[in-house]
Amino acid sequence: MYYLNQKNYPHVSYPTLTDIPELMNANSTVSSAGCGLCAASMVVTNLTGVEFPLIDCLELSLAVNANHSPGTDMDVLAPYVAERFHLDLVMTEDPEMLRQHLIRGGMAVATATGDRPEDGHIGLFSHGGHYIAVVGIDEDQEHIVVLDPSQVPGKYEEEGRVGQVVENGYYIHTTMKILAEDCRYREVEQYPEGEFKAWLKFANAESRNRYYLFGLKTECSCNG
């Protein structure tokens, strides 16, 4: 399985918030802001068998202005990725659509919300927003396999995270129920003051998409 860890790329520049000069971060890197790039690269490479190098994903994000939120705006980037690799794409907030997609052999980029103090939730995959790759589901149609671009030793041993995943190398095993709770949509008003909230207000972003479902196109060979 092809795996990328954003923490290995502190030397690769990835400027963000370039459409808001007063908030632009020209010093951000893949290490600090590139989880979406890594997740998209892993999904495409593992799904198609054709490598989608990190630098190619980064250059595509810059070219289509998907780097205008603090990280990557997957609503912008995902359609271009799908077009480049001739993939089907569905963007949704419905975890049941993700489940059925994985059962059919597809893969997905998922958006974790992070900590939600308003309902006592401690972010499993990140304390802030984070993209992960969901690459498989077991026969029980509940247990799934995740590739986390920011996996580091001890991450899943923190209070509030213990017992929610099983690590096997860079394979993270968890359940659909746990993933859905970690990716639940959060209203703009509930984010703390900072870059992300400022960008959401600036862009008037209304997307509720949490899952970006990539699948191989099926071509009909029927006659007539």
Side-chain angles (χ1 to χ4, degrees):
M1 189 72 72
Y2 179 79
Y3 176 72
L4 288 172
N5 192 309
Q6 68 187 97
K7 300 302 182 183
N8 293 332
Y9 301 93
H11 57 289
V12 179
S13 176
Y14 184 47
T16 59
L17 282 164
T18 54
D19 56 348
I20 313 178
E22 60 271 25
L23 292 179
M24 183 179 73
N25 186 353
N27 297 320
S28 59
T29 66
V30 170
S31 179
S32 63
C35 56
L37 305 178
C38 292
S41 176
M42 289 190 287
V43 164
V44 169
T45 301
N46 289 311
L47 181 63
T48 67
V50 177
E51 185 177 358
F52 183 25
L54 173 63
I55 193 65
D56 287 3
C57 190
L58 186 153
E59 290 176 350
L60 177 61
S61 181
L62 296 180
V64 303
N65 194 33
N67 61 319
H68 57 69
S69 66
T72 303
D73 187 338
M74 202 58 63
D75 278 6
V76 175
L77 181 62
Y80 286 98
V81 171
E83 179 181 22
R84 175 176 290 193
F85 289 92
H86 309 290
L87 298 171
D88 286 329
L89 171 67
V90 175
M91 303 190 294
T92 181
E93 65 171 325
D94 186 354
E96 289 307 311
M97 289 186 67
L98 170 63
R99 188 196 306 272
Q100 295 305 315
H101 178 72
L102 294 171
I103 291 170
R104 293 192 297 269
M107 297 183 182
V109 174
T111 311
T113 306
D115 294 342
R116 298 193 305 269
E118 63 274 11
D119 63 14
H121 177 75
I122 296 175
L124 173 60
F125 293 105
S126 174
H127 293 300
H130 187 49
Y131 290 111
I132 55 176
V134 189
V135 298
I137 191 167
D138 291 354
E139 291 183 359
D140 65 3
Q141 300 184 4
E142 175 62 20
H143 288 81
I144 57 174
V145 180
V146 169
L147 301 178
D148 176 8
S150 69
Q151 183 185 9
V152 293
K155 176 175 181 176
Y156 296 106
E157 297 171 9
E158 292 185 17
E159 184 178 355
R161 295 173 171 174
V162 175
Q164 296 197 63
V165 308
V166 174
E167 295 181 81
N168 182 12
Y170 48 70
Y171 295 97
I172 306 297
H173 300 268
T174 189
T175 67
M176 279 295 308
K177 181 179 180 180
I178 289 173
L179 177 71
E181 179 63 20
D182 206 53
C183 293
R184 183 145 55 88
Y185 179 79
R186 190 182 188 197
E187 297 292 343
V188 174
E189 292 75 16
Q190 293 176 327
Y191 282 94
E193 294 297 332
E195 289 183 356
F196 186 55
K197 188 171 185 177
W199 175 78
L200 286 172
K201 290 180 176 179
F202 170 85
N204 194 26
E206 298 180 352
S207 170
R208 299 179 69 95
N209 293 323
R210 315 308 298 159
Y211 311 105
Y212 301 83
L213 316 180
F214 292 91
L216 300 175
K217 287 186 179 293
T218 56
E219 297 182 358
C220 179
S221 58
C222 305
N223 293 323

